[in-house]
Amino acid sequence: MTTTTAKSKVLPPPTERYSLLGWLHKNLFSTWYNALLTLFAAWLTYAMLKPTLTWIFGEARWDVISANLKLFMIGRYPIEQEWRVWAALFLLTWVIGLSWGSWVKKFELSGLVLLLIPVFMALLPFSMDDRLKILGLSVFSLIGYVIAKSQPATFSKVSIFAWLLYFPVGLLIIRGLTGDEGFFPVVDTQLWGGLMLTVLLSVLGIMFSFPIGVSLALGRQSKLPIISWISIGFIETIRGVPLITILFMMDLMLPLFLPSEIRIESIIRALVGITFFSAAYMAENVRGGLQSIPRGQHEASHALGLSGFQTMAFIIMPQALRAVIPILVSQFIGLLKDTTLVMILSLFDILGIGKAVLGNPDYIGTSREVYLFIAAVFWILSYGMSYASQRLETALGLGER
Amino acid sequence: MSENNNNDPIIVCQDVHKWYGQFHALRGIDMEVRKGEVIVIFGPSGSGKSTFIRTINRLEEHQSGQIVVDSIELTHDVRNIEAIRKETGMVFQQFNLFPHLTVLQNITLAPLQVHKWKKEKAEEIAMQLLERVGIPEQAEKFPGQLSGGQQQRVAIARALAMQLKIMLFDEPTSALDPEMIKEVLDVMTELAESGMTMLVVTHEMGFARSVADRMFFFDEGQIVESGSPEDIYNNPQEDRTKLFLSQILQH
């Protein structure tokens, strides 16, 4: 402290090292009551885990899942047309591979992990045919990846078009084209179900509610009174009503307003209800983001001569949306789970299929297995979205500075 | 600076008034600025000096009086406002860089969008400007990774990229550490010597004395006194000016 040489020395930060015993002592057995608590917690964990694990690996009748897997996945979609769902999936993985290869610059471990998931799934006791199809998912994405890697610059634009085209094309493949006969017979949307329906409603709901929500958020701040009144009216009306009520309205009231020869398919009515509901919440979340941007950003942009629209598009909106990514993802996860309410429109999403399966006398007493399976599916989807958003936040450098 | 090849006023303000609710913030400001002049505006806080220079590019709206910039009158007409904003640049106390864009993107955004320049041209000019303000090596960084002084120099380069005629500085060094004030003032001095018309709200009296052509002392929304730096420093006429100068020059 007193010498000048010591003062200028750059020191490394102090490191803490523990042996396993040291760690145990410090964290679990530092005092006699901590030791007691540790032992108690260990006993409690054992007491709870043991019956759960014995049930999962011993007593549970998982055949209810494996026997009805097709129902859980695609509902009552005709089994002889099942290949079309696979075709849409292959196309999807190909587009994902394509954009991965052209957009992601450095080698990504998470890409490899995603690629390996189907490989591990193929190890599960499926039929040989299904195993090949599952492996096909990896193969198609790999093909897309390799193609894109050969010329990343051109394919980064191609990927955008591929995504824009994918949704109409994919839906067309699943829905069909050629009336009741032929190669691509139309499959009534009433027959779509299971996980396919859940994912479809969520993805399309997110896709449509996003632009509507952003427009409503901007509309609410508009200086033109008519636009802001309409936006406020829409947002407050929809937010003031539970989703289940909106879906009921769609089911019961809409036919009253429309001429009797127009019949809108349930899936469309459900989608419109979900989209409106999500858009109203989205609008408020985005508005929160817009308000978090300091006035100085508007001023600097205007002072540079950028118009109101350019300021919004290049300065305010990118920052506002970045700021609300975590909230938006929460909302999307909520939307995913809310799609289970389409049951009241007599659509069979994965939960509806679960209930239907339980109604089968062969599977009486298997509700634990069924609901646990459905919960696991929802958890995987929700956690996947959450994880993807965390990656997105890191990639966009949110929170760094 | 003094050798103006053109004596036409580029900014003319006549009897400019501005109210915030009941508060009378600007009480009849008259000012004429000639091309290439460097004007320093100073005064106590709340005196309306910032409000005044912000009315010139319509970040604040004046309620009566007339403001003409480069023969364009500032009215409610959006085209006039945009035309004036293309000719004036502003540097803020809080820098107001766009945090989601790199330094280079900060500078090229407006030229690309407003002037519709080609990307190569905009980036070339941006790099020249970064050389000029002395930080070309920071081009690919984000504003959050720079020091305050560097950020303010980027803000100056960003404004200059619009190839403008008038620069407005709203307390450009007030949010900076003493060490960084100098690097920003050096850039501003160089800019003044290059013949740019500048209106600077600042309390940097050394800068004012060496660079300003004229100084205006604002208090309570009015111009109390104006004149050359010599007049203001050595021979202030008004008691209010004397008092204020004695307070800020003590330190």
Side-chain angles (χ1 to χ4, degrees):
Chain A
M1 239 196 284
T2 47
T3 58
T4 46
T5 45
K7 207 164 70 177
S8 60
K9 208 185 255 172
V10 180
L11 296 173
T15 48
E16 288 186 65
R17 279 235 181 106
Y18 291 114
S19 61
L20 179 62
L21 271 177
W23 184 89
L24 281 175
H25 184 256
K26 178 166 186 273
N27 291 291
L28 299 179
F29 299 99
S30 54
T31 56
W32 66 266
Y33 54 86
N34 271 348
L36 217 60
L37 280 174
T38 303
L39 290 175
F40 176 71
W43 172 79
L44 200 66
T45 316
Y46 171 78
M48 276 162 46
L49 271 183
K50 194 189 166 211
T52 315
L53 292 178
T54 13
W55 179 78
I56 288 181
F57 292 106
E59 298 155 19
R61 290 176 51 197
W62 292 115
D63 61 304
V64 61
I65 306 299
S66 50
N68 296 299
L69 198 59
K70 292 250 149 90
L71 270 178
F72 279 113
M73 291 299 125
I74 56 175
R76 293 178 292 152
Y77 197 91
I79 219 79
E80 66 277 9
Q81 300 295 335
E82 186 209 354
W83 64 273
R84 277 155 50 177
V85 179
W86 281 106
L89 275 179
F90 289 149
L91 198 59
L92 177 68
T93 49
W94 181 74
V95 175
I96 291 176
L98 204 62
S99 33
W100 201 288
S102 51
W103 292 342
V104 180
K105 292 279 176 333
K106 34 180 211 259
F107 171 77
E108 285 271 337
L109 193 67
S110 45
L112 193 69
V113 171
L114 281 180
L115 216 56
L116 284 176
I117 289 176
V119 178
F120 285 118
M121 277 173 65
L123 294 177
L124 294 173
F126 292 116
S127 70
M128 210 53 202
D129 195 30
D130 285 345
R131 283 180 177 169
L132 284 178
K133 284 175 186 158
I134 291 171
L135 282 177
L137 297 175
S138 288
V139 174
F140 273 91
S141 54
L142 204 61
I143 293 173
Y145 181 82
V146 171
I147 291 177
K149 263 291 176 238
S150 65
Q151 269 183 321
T154 30
F155 278 103
S156 72
K157 282 191 193 113
V158 174
S159 313
I160 297 173
F161 285 111
W163 277 112
L164 287 178
L165 273 178
Y166 175 74
F167 287 95
V169 171
L171 280 175
L172 208 64
I173 293 175
I174 295 176
R175 177 160 192 280
L177 202 58
T178 53
D180 292 339
E181 298 294 316
F183 189 54
F184 261 10
V186 169
V187 176
D188 189 3
T189 50
Q190 206 67 37
L191 299 176
W192 302 15
L195 183 62
M196 180 175 80
L197 184 69
T198 301
V199 170
L200 216 62
L201 285 174
S202 323
V203 171
L204 293 178
I206 290 168
M207 267 175 40
F208 290 130
S209 65
F210 188 73
I212 299 177
V214 169
S215 317
L216 283 171
L218 293 174
R220 186 164 188 164
Q221 294 191 322
S222 170
K223 288 194 184 99
L224 297 172
I226 180 93
I227 293 181
S228 77
W229 289 342
I230 291 174
S231 305
I232 292 173
F234 181 92
I235 293 168
E236 297 303 341
T237 312
I238 300 281
R239 281 206 311 168
V241 179
L243 177 57
I244 197 160
T245 317
I246 294 174
L247 292 175
F248 265 126
M249 293 281 280
M250 284 289 163
D251 199 26
L252 303 173
M253 305 292 278
L254 210 58
L256 294 181
F257 299 136
L258 291 169
S260 55
E261 57 270 24
I262 299 180
R263 223 193 97 254
I264 300 177
E265 296 174 26
S266 303
I267 195 170
I268 304 281
R269 280 182 278 171
L271 189 58
V272 170
I274 290 169
T275 304
F276 280 2
F277 187 76
S278 171
Y281 281 88
M282 172 104 49
E284 287 300 277
N285 290 339
V286 171
R287 193 168 66 95
L290 290 174
Q291 284 176 346
S292 74
I293 307 303
R295 246 176 80 84
Q297 294 287 310
H298 292 266
E299 290 178 350
S301 176
H302 285 138
L304 283 168
L306 292 165
S307 68
F309 175 77
Q310 289 168 330
T311 300
M312 198 42 82
F314 298 112
I315 308 299
I316 308 302
M317 202 45 94
Q319 295 186 58
L321 289 182
R322 237 175 255 204
V324 295
I325 287 174
I327 313 174
L328 290 189
V329 172
S330 284
Q331 198 200 324
F332 292 153
I333 290 175
L335 186 152
L336 167 76
K337 292 182 288 192
D338 283 349
T339 56
T340 50
L341 290 174
V342 298
M343 226 186 296
I344 63 166
L345 287 171
S346 50
L347 288 170
F348 288 90
D349 73 311
I350 186 164
L351 189 63
I353 292 287
K355 284 198 171 244
V357 166
L358 288 175
N360 183 338
D362 291 348
Y363 300 110
I364 283 173
T366 56
S367 45
R368 274 190 287 195
E369 289 84 346
V370 168
Y371 287 125
L372 197 65
F373 170 71
I374 294 170
V377 170
F378 273 109
W379 184 84
I380 290 169
L381 292 177
S382 306
Y383 183 73
M385 283 162 83
S386 164
Y387 180 77
S389 92
Q390 284 167 31
R391 296 301 303 257
L392 188 67
E393 281 174 46
T394 336
L396 293 174
L398 189 81
E400 128 196 355
R401 271 224 281 164
Chain B
M1 293 166 281
S2 45
E3 304 89 10
N4 297 321
N5 37 13
N6 197 334
N7 264 354
D8 295 341
I10 192 165
I11 302 174
V12 181
C13 303
Q14 279 174 338
D15 198 30
V16 174
H17 287 265
K18 159 97 192 158
W19 287 264
Y20 289 113
Q22 291 296 307
F23 178 66
H24 200 169
L26 295 178
R27 308 181 184 177
I29 304 290
D30 292 296
M31 190 185 287
E32 283 199 357
V33 181
R34 288 184 299 278
K35 245 177 211 166
E37 259 193 315
V38 176
I39 305 290
V40 163
I41 298 170
F42 69 111
S45 63
S47 61
K49 51 196 192 314
S50 284
T51 306
F52 171 66
I53 76 162
R54 287 158 60 88
T55 57
I56 294 173
N57 66 351
R58 211 15 112 99
L59 289 183
E60 304 285 352
E61 193 179 319
H62 61 287
Q63 280 110 333
S64 78
Q66 199 186 28
I67 298 176
V68 180
V69 179
D70 202 26
S71 6
I72 308 164
E73 187 178 355
L74 197 52
T75 60
H76 283 288
D77 192 331
V78 179
R79 278 165 300 178
N80 283 14
I81 296 174
E82 286 185 354
I84 287 176
R85 282 176 176 167
K86 278 182 199 172
E87 310 216 334
T88 57
M90 184 170 242
V91 174
F92 300 85
Q93 181 177 353
Q94 299 298 340
F95 328 135
N96 292 347
L97 293 178
F98 307 131
H100 62 303
L101 301 177
T102 63
V103 165
L104 195 65
Q105 289 168 332
N106 262 279
I107 299 172
T108 55
L109 178 70
L112 288 172
Q113 297 302 329
V114 179
H115 288 325
K116 309 285 178 205
W117 288 354
K118 287 231 158 56
K119 200 176 172 210
E120 294 76 33
K121 182 188 176 191
E123 288 189 349
E124 191 190 323
I125 288 178
M127 286 314 295
Q128 285 169 7
L129 286 166
L130 282 176
E131 296 276 356
R132 189 167 163 191
V133 299
I135 40 172
E137 72 283 359
Q138 312 287 354
E140 297 304 324
K141 287 194 184 163
F142 285 90
Q145 298 167 304
L146 306 186
S147 74
Q150 290 171 329
Q151 289 194 46
Q152 194 60 298
R153 286 187 279 164
V154 172
I156 295 172
R158 178 176 72 174
L160 290 175
M162 289 300 284
Q163 315 270 299
L164 27 83
K165 297 181 177 165
I166 301 160
M167 281 284 276
L168 308 171
F169 290 87
D170 187 2
E171 307 209 29
T173 55
S174 301
L176 295 175
D177 291 341
E179 281 178 318
M180 295 167 183
I181 290 176
K182 187 179 174 299
E183 63 188 49
V184 172
L185 290 180
D186 286 347
V187 170
M188 288 170 64
T189 307
E190 188 265 330
L191 195 60
E193 282 162 0
S194 76
M196 176 68 76
T197 310
M198 290 166 59
L199 270 75
V200 187
V201 173
T202 186
H203 291 136
E204 292 299 328
M205 287 303 156
F207 170 80
R209 184 177 288 210
S210 61
V211 178
D213 293 307
R214 283 188 292 155
M215 294 178 70
F216 287 78
F217 177 60
F218 270 55
D219 192 24
E220 297 184 333
Q222 288 171 309
I223 296 173
V224 176
E225 190 166 357
S226 69
S228 69
E230 298 304 312
D231 294 341
I232 295 281
Y233 284 116
N234 303 333
N235 190 19
Q237 302 296 311
E238 303 288 332
D239 289 341
R240 185 71 187 88
T241 318
K242 288 175 193 165
L243 178 67
F244 184 75
L245 280 172
S246 73
Q247 281 166 346
I248 62 169
L249 292 177
Q250 261 172 14
H251 304 291

